[in-house]
Amino acid sequence: MTMLLLITGCISVSADTPFVRVRKEEERLEQYLATLKWALTSSPFDEIIFCENSCYDYDFEAFCQSLNNKKRFEYLTFEGDRNKTVKFGKGYGEGEIIKYAPNNSKFLKHRPFFYKITGKLIVDNIYDVASNTTENRFMNYCERIDKVDTKFYKVRTEDYIKYLQDAYYEVDDTNNMYLERVIRKYLKENNIKYKSFSCIPIIVGVSGTTGKEYKRPSVRRLGLYNFLCKMGLYNFKFMYPVDWLLNRIHF
Protein backbone atom coordinates (compact mmCIF):
# COMPACT_ATOMS: atom_id res chain seq x y z
CA MET A 1 0.00 0.00 0.00
CA THR A 2 1.28 3.47 -0.90
CA MET A 3 2.55 5.49 2.06
CA LEU A 4 2.33 9.27 1.92
CA LEU A 5 4.08 11.89 4.03
CA LEU A 6 2.80 15.45 4.39
CA ILE A 7 5.48 17.96 5.38
CA THR A 8 4.14 21.27 6.69
CA GLY A 9 6.02 24.53 6.54
CA CYS A 10 6.08 28.31 6.54
CA ILE A 11 9.27 29.76 5.10
CA SER A 12 8.45 33.46 5.30
CA VAL A 13 7.20 34.09 8.84
CA SER A 14 5.50 37.33 9.86
CA ALA A 15 7.68 39.33 12.25
CA ASP A 16 4.83 39.50 14.77
CA THR A 17 4.01 35.77 14.89
CA PRO A 18 4.35 34.73 18.55
CA PHE A 19 6.41 31.81 19.89
CA VAL A 20 8.67 31.53 16.82
CA ARG A 21 12.41 31.56 17.49
CA VAL A 22 13.79 30.70 14.02
CA ARG A 23 12.75 33.58 11.75
CA LYS A 24 15.38 34.02 9.01
CA GLU A 25 14.05 32.82 5.66
CA GLU A 26 17.41 31.40 4.55
CA GLU A 27 17.77 29.38 7.74
CA ARG A 28 14.21 28.10 7.60
CA LEU A 29 14.54 27.14 3.91
CA GLU A 30 17.75 25.23 4.62
CA GLN A 31 16.04 23.28 7.40
CA TYR A 32 13.04 22.44 5.21
CA LEU A 33 15.34 21.25 2.43
CA ALA A 34 17.07 18.96 4.93
CA THR A 35 13.71 17.44 5.91
CA LEU A 36 12.74 17.06 2.27
CA LYS A 37 16.04 15.38 1.43
CA TRP A 38 15.53 12.94 4.31
CA ALA A 39 12.00 12.13 3.15
CA LEU A 40 13.08 11.58 -0.44
CA THR A 41 16.26 9.60 0.17
CA SER A 42 16.08 8.02 3.63
CA SER A 43 12.44 7.16 4.33
CA PRO A 44 9.95 4.47 3.25
CA PHE A 45 7.39 6.96 1.91
CA ASP A 46 6.33 6.61 -1.73
CA GLU A 47 4.73 10.04 -2.04
CA ILE A 48 5.90 13.29 -0.48
CA ILE A 49 3.87 16.49 -0.22
CA PHE A 50 5.47 19.71 0.98
CA CYS A 51 2.75 22.24 1.76
CA GLU A 52 3.67 25.73 2.96
CA ASN A 53 1.56 28.81 3.61
CA SER A 54 3.67 31.84 2.71
CA CYS A 55 3.65 31.59 -1.12
CA TYR A 56 7.41 31.16 -1.09
CA ASP A 57 8.95 31.08 -4.55
CA TYR A 58 11.47 28.24 -4.83
CA ASP A 59 11.99 25.47 -7.35
CA PHE A 60 11.48 22.44 -5.11
CA GLU A 61 10.94 20.24 -8.16
CA ALA A 62 14.47 20.99 -9.36
CA PHE A 63 15.80 20.27 -5.87
CA CYS A 64 14.09 16.86 -5.90
CA GLN A 65 15.47 16.08 -9.36
CA SER A 66 18.98 16.93 -8.17
CA LEU A 67 18.66 14.06 -5.71
CA ASN A 68 17.83 11.61 -8.52
CA ASN A 69 14.54 11.16 -6.75
CA LYS A 70 12.20 8.47 -8.04
CA LYS A 71 9.43 9.16 -5.55
CA ARG A 72 6.33 11.17 -6.39
CA PHE A 73 6.59 14.72 -5.11
CA GLU A 74 4.11 17.56 -4.90
CA TYR A 75 4.68 21.13 -3.77
CA LEU A 76 1.65 23.09 -2.57
CA THR A 77 1.87 26.72 -1.54
CA PHE A 78 -0.75 29.31 -0.68
CA GLU A 79 -1.10 32.55 1.27
CA GLY A 80 -2.35 31.77 4.75
CA ASP A 81 -4.19 34.22 6.96
CA ARG A 82 -1.20 36.03 8.45
CA ASN A 83 -3.30 38.26 10.69
CA LYS A 84 -4.97 35.31 12.40
CA THR A 85 -1.67 33.44 12.69
CA VAL A 86 -0.18 36.47 14.44
CA LYS A 87 -3.24 36.72 16.69
CA PHE A 88 -3.72 33.04 17.52
CA GLY A 89 -0.25 31.55 17.00
CA LYS A 90 1.65 29.28 14.64
CA GLY A 91 -0.62 26.33 15.45
CA TYR A 92 -3.38 28.19 13.66
CA GLY A 93 -1.17 28.50 10.57
CA GLU A 94 -0.30 24.81 10.72
CA GLY A 95 -4.00 23.97 10.92
CA GLU A 96 -4.60 25.99 7.75
CA ILE A 97 -1.93 23.96 5.96
CA ILE A 98 -3.32 20.58 6.99
CA LYS A 99 -6.78 21.65 5.87
CA TYR A 100 -5.50 23.00 2.56
CA ALA A 101 -3.51 19.89 1.61
CA PRO A 102 -6.29 17.25 1.57
CA ASN A 103 -8.50 19.55 -0.48
CA ASN A 104 -5.86 20.56 -3.04
CA SER A 105 -3.41 17.69 -3.35
CA LYS A 106 -3.43 15.36 -6.35
CA PHE A 107 -2.21 12.55 -4.11
CA LEU A 108 -3.64 12.88 -0.63
CA LYS A 109 -7.37 12.72 -1.30
CA HIS A 110 -6.90 9.27 -2.84
CA ARG A 111 -4.98 7.79 0.10
CA PRO A 112 -6.73 6.10 3.05
CA PHE A 113 -4.22 7.54 5.50
CA PHE A 114 -1.26 9.88 5.65
CA TYR A 115 1.66 10.68 7.89
CA LYS A 116 2.31 14.27 8.85
CA ILE A 117 5.58 15.80 10.05
CA THR A 118 6.37 19.39 10.93
CA GLY A 119 9.00 20.73 8.55
CA LYS A 120 12.56 21.18 9.86
CA LEU A 121 12.30 17.81 11.66
CA ILE A 122 12.99 14.18 10.79
CA VAL A 123 12.19 10.87 12.47
CA ASP A 124 15.52 9.13 12.91
CA ASN A 125 14.00 5.66 13.34
CA ILE A 126 11.33 6.05 10.66
CA TYR A 127 11.72 2.50 9.32
CA ASP A 128 10.87 1.15 12.79
CA VAL A 129 7.92 3.53 13.18
CA ALA A 130 6.17 3.57 9.78
CA SER A 131 3.74 0.89 8.62
CA ASN A 132 1.06 0.66 5.95
CA THR A 133 -1.78 -0.20 8.33
CA THR A 134 -4.68 2.27 8.42
CA GLU A 135 -4.79 2.80 12.20
CA ASN A 136 -4.57 6.30 13.65
CA ARG A 137 -1.32 6.84 15.55
CA PHE A 138 -0.77 9.73 17.95
CA MET A 139 1.63 10.03 20.85
CA ASN A 140 0.35 11.59 24.06
CA TYR A 141 2.75 13.89 25.86
CA CYS A 142 3.86 12.07 28.99
CA GLU A 143 3.76 15.17 31.17
CA ARG A 144 0.32 16.33 30.02
CA ILE A 145 -2.31 13.75 29.17
CA ASP A 146 -4.65 16.33 27.61
CA LYS A 147 -2.34 16.91 24.60
CA VAL A 148 -1.06 14.83 21.73
CA ASP A 149 2.21 15.36 19.93
CA THR A 150 1.43 17.05 16.62
CA LYS A 151 5.02 17.16 15.34
CA PHE A 152 4.56 13.70 13.85
CA TYR A 153 1.50 11.49 13.59
CA LYS A 154 -0.46 9.20 11.31
CA VAL A 155 -4.16 9.66 10.63
CA ARG A 156 -6.89 8.19 8.48
CA THR A 157 -7.75 10.70 5.77
CA GLU A 158 -11.49 10.24 6.31
CA ASP A 159 -11.18 10.88 10.04
CA TYR A 160 -9.11 13.98 9.49
CA ILE A 161 -11.40 15.54 6.91
CA LYS A 162 -14.58 14.67 8.78
CA TYR A 163 -13.56 15.45 12.35
CA LEU A 164 -10.22 17.23 12.66
CA GLN A 165 -9.58 19.60 9.78
CA ASP A 166 -11.48 22.51 11.40
CA ALA A 167 -10.09 21.96 14.90
CA TYR A 168 -7.48 24.68 14.43
CA TYR A 169 -10.19 27.36 14.60
CA GLU A 170 -10.00 26.91 18.39
CA VAL A 171 -6.24 27.44 18.55
CA ASP A 172 -5.19 30.40 20.71
CA ASP A 173 -1.57 30.05 21.82
CA THR A 174 -1.64 33.05 24.15
CA ASN A 175 -4.44 31.40 26.14
CA ASN A 176 -2.78 27.97 26.24
CA MET A 177 -5.09 26.48 23.61
CA TYR A 178 -2.30 25.00 21.55
CA LEU A 179 -2.90 22.84 18.49
CA GLU A 180 -1.72 19.82 20.51
CA ARG A 181 -4.48 20.37 23.05
CA VAL A 182 -7.17 21.14 20.46
CA ILE A 183 -6.45 18.00 18.41
CA ARG A 184 -6.57 15.88 21.57
CA LYS A 185 -9.92 17.49 22.44
CA TYR A 186 -11.41 16.68 19.04
CA LEU A 187 -10.10 13.12 19.09
CA LYS A 188 -11.79 12.57 22.45
CA GLU A 189 -15.06 14.36 21.67
CA ASN A 190 -15.55 12.46 18.41
CA ASN A 191 -14.49 9.13 19.90
CA ILE A 192 -11.74 8.71 17.31
CA LYS A 193 -9.75 5.62 18.19
CA TYR A 194 -5.99 5.82 18.06
CA LYS A 195 -2.92 4.05 19.36
CA SER A 196 0.61 5.11 20.10
CA PHE A 197 3.24 4.08 17.60
CA SER A 198 4.80 0.67 18.20
CA CYS A 199 7.95 2.47 19.33
CA ILE A 200 8.81 6.06 20.21
CA PRO A 201 9.48 8.22 17.15
CA ILE A 202 12.97 9.66 17.66
CA ILE A 203 12.57 13.27 16.55
CA VAL A 204 15.69 15.06 15.30
CA GLY A 205 15.89 18.72 14.32
CA VAL A 206 15.38 22.20 15.68
CA SER A 207 12.28 23.41 17.49
CA GLY A 208 10.72 26.36 15.68
CA THR A 209 9.32 27.55 19.00
CA THR A 210 12.44 27.48 21.17
CA GLY A 211 15.27 27.18 18.64
CA LYS A 212 16.67 24.25 20.64
CA GLU A 213 17.65 20.88 19.21
CA TYR A 214 15.55 17.85 20.07
CA LYS A 215 17.67 15.43 22.06
CA ARG A 216 17.66 11.67 21.69
CA PRO A 217 16.34 9.96 24.86
CA SER A 218 18.78 7.97 26.96
CA VAL A 219 19.10 4.29 26.09
CA ARG A 220 17.32 3.17 29.28
CA ARG A 221 14.49 5.69 28.93
CA LEU A 222 14.09 4.79 25.26
CA GLY A 223 13.93 1.10 26.13
CA LEU A 224 11.23 1.68 28.73
CA TYR A 225 9.13 3.88 26.45
CA ASN A 226 9.40 1.39 23.58
CA PHE A 227 8.32 -1.43 25.89
CA LEU A 228 5.27 0.55 26.98
CA CYS A 229 4.42 1.32 23.35
CA LYS A 230 4.57 -2.36 22.38
CA MET A 231 2.34 -3.25 25.33
CA GLY A 232 -0.19 -0.58 24.33
CA LEU A 233 0.29 1.23 27.64
CA TYR A 234 2.02 4.45 26.60
CA ASN A 235 -1.19 6.46 26.39
CA PHE A 236 -2.46 5.53 29.83
CA LYS A 237 -2.62 8.18 32.55
CA PHE A 238 -0.02 6.44 34.69
CA MET A 239 2.57 7.76 32.21
CA TYR A 240 2.34 11.09 34.02
CA PRO A 241 3.78 9.80 37.33
CA VAL A 242 6.19 7.51 35.44
CA ASP A 243 7.62 10.42 33.46
CA TRP A 244 7.65 12.66 36.55
CA LEU A 245 9.71 10.03 38.39
CA LEU A 246 12.11 9.44 35.49
CA ASN A 247 12.84 13.15 35.22
CA ARG A 248 13.85 13.27 38.88
CA ILE A 249 16.08 10.20 38.93
CA HIS A 250 17.73 11.14 35.59
CA PHE A 251 16.86 7.74 34.13
Side-chain angles (χ1 to χ4, degrees):
M1 186 182 298
T2 299
M3 289 201 297
L4 182 148
L5 176 67
L6 170 63
I7 302 170
T8 60
C10 178
I11 299 173
S12 180
V13 180
S14 296
D16 298 330
T17 303
F19 307 113
V20 176
R21 183 61 59 88
V22 181
R23 294 185 179 274
K24 291 183 180 179
E25 288 185 7
E26 297 82 1
E27 185 177 0
R28 294 178 68 85
L29 174 61
E30 183 178 347
Q31 292 170 345
Y32 286 125
L33 290 177
T35 297
L36 188 54
K37 181 179 179 180
W38 161 78
L40 292 168
T41 64
S42 304
S43 82
F45 300 108
D46 308 291
E47 296 176 337
I48 315 293
I49 300 170
F50 178 40
C51 185
E52 81 94 42
N53 66 344
S54 67
C55 279
Y56 194 81
D57 184 18
Y58 186 85
D59 194 345
F60 288 98
E61 293 284 353
F63 174 77
C64 294
Q65 291 174 7
S66 73
L67 300 173
N68 295 317
N69 168 53
K70 299 186 186 310
K71 298 183 179 183
R72 300 180 73 196
F73 172 73
E74 184 178 26
Y75 177 48
L76 301 174
T77 186
F78 68 102
E79 187 66 47
D81 191 327
R82 290 178 179 261
N83 291 332
K84 287 187 177 179
T85 300
V86 168
K87 181 177 181 180
F88 298 118
K90 61 187 179 61
Y92 187 95
E94 170 129 331
E96 285 185 312
I97 294 170
I98 310 172
K99 182 174 182 177
Y100 183 91
N103 293 291
N104 292 274
S105 169
K106 295 178 294 185
F107 304 155
L108 201 155
K109 66 183 67 175
H110 302 297
R111 301 295 170 230
F113 65 90
F114 64 93
Y115 286 81
K116 175 266 172 187
I117 190 167
T118 300
K120 307 192 299 296
L121 305 177
I122 69 171
V123 179
D124 197 43
N125 60 338
I126 189 62
Y127 280 93
D128 297 324
V129 172
S131 67
N132 60 8
T133 63
T134 58
E135 298 169 316
N136 294 318
R137 301 278 186 170
F138 288 87
M139 300 301 295
N140 280 4
Y141 280 103
C142 300
E143 71 273 14
R144 294 283 183 88
I145 202 67
D146 64 341
K147 297 190 292 184
V148 291
D149 192 336
T150 58
K151 295 189 297 294
F152 177 73
Y153 58 81
K154 175 185 179 182
V155 64
R156 295 178 68 243
T157 307
E158 181 181 6
D159 285 344
Y160 192 87
I161 292 175
K162 187 174 181 179
Y163 299 109
L164 300 176
Q165 72 171 355
D166 292 326
Y168 74 96
Y169 289 131
E170 295 189 23
V171 168
D172 187 350
D173 286 358
T174 58
N175 290 306
N176 295 320
M177 281 302 292
Y178 305 112
L179 184 63
E180 296 90 342
R181 183 164 289 163
V182 172
I183 291 294
R184 165 63 175 153
K185 174 176 176 281
Y186 273 65
L187 288 168
K188 185 175 181 180
E189 288 179 352
N190 293 288
N191 197 30
I192 300 174
K193 303 299 182 184
Y194 69 92
K195 298 180 179 179
S196 61
F197 287 100
S198 58
C199 61
I200 292 290
I202 299 174
I203 303 294
V204 175
V206 177
S207 168
T209 303
T210 65
K212 295 181 179 179
E213 291 188 13
Y214 288 102
K215 294 183 178 180
R216 187 185 181 96
S218 68
V219 173
R220 288 186 294 175
R221 185 187 288 261
L222 190 61
L224 176 59
Y225 285 169
N226 286 339
F227 172 76
L228 293 170
C229 285
K230 285 182 172 59
M231 297 298 292
L233 299 174
Y234 189 86
N235 286 325
F236 282 14
K237 289 187 177 181
F238 71 77
M239 280 305 299
Y240 176 84
V242 166
D243 204 56
W244 180 88
L245 179 61
L246 293 180
N247 285 335
R248 278 152 182 77
I249 64 175
H250 304 291
F251 189 78

